[in-house]
Amino acid sequence: MNNTTQIKKNYRFIKVQKLVIVSILIGFLSAFLGVILKNTTEYYEEIFFHKTVVNPIFLVVFPVFGLSIIYFLREYVFKKKENKGIKEVFESTNSPSNNLPSYKIPSHFINGLLTVVFGGSTGIEVSTVVASATIGSVAQRKQNVFRQYKTELICAGVAAGITALFSSPIAGLLFSLEVISRKVTRAFILTNLIAVSIAFGLLHLLDEKPLFAVHNMTWHLRAIPYFILLGIIAGINSVYLTRCVLFFKAQFSKIKVHYYKIIFGSVILSVSLFVFPQLYGEGYHAIKTIFINPNGMVFSMSMILTFIGILVLKPIVTSATLASGGDGGVFAPSLFIGAFLGLLLALILNQYFNANVIPINFVIIGMAAVLSASIHAPFTALFLVCGLTNDYTLFLPILVVCLISKYTAKLIYPFTVYSYSPSLAK
């Protein structure tokens, strides 16, 4: 009996050792992939966007060229398989036999990069999530002892990838829990904690900076009613984004000749970019411009109309990008919409209602609120935006508004882009 007990203890110890080692590898590889994709995309997006400023004809050339290259790669390099985004991860975690094939790593990396660099109005976040999830999926297939921890190892890759993108290990953990796993096990805690720790350590080693560094913020209790209003409007806007994506995908799926999809998508994208260049790519460059001095912005009707136009068109161009073959999801579009929505509401409140609110607070809270409502993950949105800005002053109002926006969105429409399926909607 003692020998049997000892053997079982030794086996468990060896299994834990192997889980620790594989979690370290997954964390490093996923974070490294995320950092490379983030920096490469940012570098080349800036170069290509500058070309469009100098010569607007590139606003016509870039979208059709980028989508055509992605189509060519998908047809002749990546086995004619379409990228389905985070739904691929759900399909894998929900089925013991359905694994993410290894080609998903280069497929999502390259397609995500090309989509954004050539003006596709989405982001690299979902590309990173699926690619890093695939790293975890490949790792769990290497030894039989890992097969029972498939979901945990996939989540470890996802958590590390999100950590690398947004400089927030807590956001990485919460996203893998709230969106992917939806359950906590001891193996989940072990693998994911190790993966995000390795990812965060790599960020420090590489001296990666937060995307939007904000300091010396404050907020006032009298702004709470306005924050609640922002949460409700953010929830409504997120539903508009979700419905746009689902509608465009449904309509474009009826087009049998794929190149017609590229042409239609490119026309929508090019025309929109001509009118509002802020819609180019991820849109983080536009968010950075409003972060420079949002509290000092002078109210004007032309600015308000510009903001309204951006908020109306952003879900449409994002949807057209995805429906015509672009790679990505609603992470970056949600942050973009939230930033402009928050600033627009703050300017209107100050101009017409003498609310005397702080616009930068509304920009930051708006980003978190729309993201929370779009993916139904308020705690992920909370820590992700705090990580992006490297400031937790607004922690409490962000938490409250994220919960309000999520439940407002669910009340209007119970699905997200990731959870929707035609069978559930009937």
Side-chain angles (χ1 to χ4, degrees):
M1 182 67 72
N2 288 336
N3 288 338
T4 303
T5 304
Q6 188 62 41
I7 289 170
K8 287 182 178 179
K9 285 183 178 178
N10 290 341
Y11 175 75
R12 282 197 295 268
F13 180 71
I14 292 170
K15 188 164 66 171
V16 170
Q17 275 188 320
K18 288 183 176 182
L19 270 179
V20 169
I21 293 169
V22 78
S23 299
I24 291 171
L25 291 173
I26 290 171
F28 175 78
L29 291 173
S30 299
F32 198 57
L33 178 144
V35 169
I36 292 173
L37 181 55
K38 177 177 69 173
N39 290 335
T40 305
T41 302
E42 185 178 344
Y43 177 77
Y44 285 105
E45 183 186 6
E46 185 177 342
I47 292 174
F48 281 74
F49 178 65
H50 179 70
K51 295 294 182 185
T52 66
V53 174
V54 175
N55 190 349
I57 193 63
F58 284 121
L59 291 175
V60 176
V61 175
F62 285 166
V64 69
F65 180 77
L67 291 171
S68 298
I69 292 296
I70 291 170
Y71 173 68
F72 174 84
L73 290 172
R74 193 168 287 154
E75 280 291 302
Y76 300 105
V77 179
F78 298 124
K79 304 179 181 180
K80 296 188 177 183
K81 297 286 182 65
E82 287 197 31
N83 291 334
K84 295 183 285 185
I86 288 181
K87 285 189 177 181
E88 294 173 286
V89 182
F90 292 149
E91 290 172 2
S92 181
T93 55
N94 291 333
S95 169
S97 59
N98 192 344
N99 292 308
L100 291 165
S102 56
Y103 77 84
K104 288 292 179 183
I105 299 172
S107 169
H108 279 278
F109 185 99
I110 295 169
N111 291 347
L113 172 67
L114 291 175
T115 299
V116 174
V117 164
F118 286 105
S121 198
T122 180
I124 59 166
E125 293 78 15
V126 169
S127 304
T128 305
V129 165
V130 181
S132 56
T134 304
I135 292 173
S137 180
V138 170
Q140 65 87 25
R141 299 200 296 271
K142 293 302 179 183
Q143 289 194 20
N144 287 332
V145 70
F146 296 146
R147 296 191 189 279
Q148 68 186 98
Y149 302 114
K150 178 182 180 179
T151 298
E152 287 84 354
L153 293 178
I154 286 175
C155 287
V158 170
I162 292 293
T163 299
L165 289 183
F166 298 108
S167 304
S168 175
I170 300 176
L173 281 170
L174 288 172
F175 179 81
S176 67
L177 176 61
E178 284 188 294
V179 179
I180 308 298
S181 175
R182 298 179 186 173
K183 63 180 179 180
V184 180
T185 64
R186 284 184 292 181
F188 177 93
I189 295 171
L190 175 68
T191 55
N192 282 253
L193 277 177
I194 292 172
V196 298
S197 299
I198 294 297
F200 198 57
L202 181 64
L203 293 181
H204 277 284
L205 188 66
L206 298 175
D207 197 28
E208 290 288 312
K209 304 297 184 186
L211 195 57
F212 312 113
V214 181
H215 302 288
N216 301 321
M217 290 186 297
T218 186
W219 65 280
H220 307 290
L221 287 173
R222 57 180 166 77
I224 289 177
Y226 305 121
F227 290 155
I228 293 172
L229 176 63
L230 175 58
I232 294 169
I233 299 174
I236 296 169
N237 269 265
S238 76
V239 172
Y240 171 49
L241 172 61
T242 299
R243 295 301 298 266
C244 266
V245 173
L246 297 176
F247 174 79
F248 271 76
K249 284 189 173 182
Q251 297 307 309
F252 273 60
S253 68
K254 299 174 184 177
I255 303 173
K256 301 307 177 185
V257 181
H258 191 91
Y259 213 76
Y260 291 163
K261 296 181 184 181
I262 293 174
I263 293 171
F264 291 146
S266 299
V267 168
I268 294 170
L269 193 52
S270 296
V271 171
S272 301
L273 293 178
F274 263 114
V275 181
F276 298 112
Q278 298 95 329
L279 299 173
Y280 192 98
E282 292 175 318
Y284 291 157
H285 55 91
I287 297 176
K288 287 178 181 178
T289 60
I290 65 176
F291 261 116
I292 293 172
N293 187 23
N295 296 336
M297 280 195 174
V298 179
F299 181 92
S300 69
M301 190 53 64
S302 63
M303 178 188 292
I304 299 303
L305 292 175
T306 298
F307 281 17
I308 292 173
I310 287 171
L311 291 172
V312 170
L313 278 178
K314 179 65 175 180
I316 293 173
V317 293
T318 295
S319 303
T321 300
L322 297 175
S324 55
D327 206 63
V330 298
F331 259 80
S334 296
L335 295 172
F336 179 92
I337 292 167
F340 279 88
L341 176 66
L343 183 54
L344 173 63
L345 180 60
L347 293 176
I348 290 173
L349 287 171
N350 286 343
Q351 178 68 22
Y352 293 112
F353 300 94
N354 295 319
N356 198 27
V357 297
I358 303 171
I360 194 170
N361 290 355
F362 279 69
V363 172
I364 294 165
I365 295 172
M367 290 167 66
V370 176
L371 179 61
S372 168
S374 295
I375 64 175
H376 290 181
F379 298 103
T380 297
L382 166 65
F383 285 98
L384 188 147
V385 170
C386 287
L388 276 176
T389 57
N390 197 32
D391 194 290
Y392 286 80
T393 307
L394 295 171
F395 184 93
L396 185 58
I398 290 176
L399 173 60
V400 172
V401 175
C402 281
L403 290 170
I404 291 171
S405 66
K406 173 194 170 179
Y407 288 107
T408 299
K410 287 193 75 171
L411 190 64
I412 301 170
Y413 192 66
F415 306 107
T416 68
V417 170
Y418 308 135
S419 65
Y420 174 85
S421 71
S423 60
L424 290 173
K426 290 178 182 178

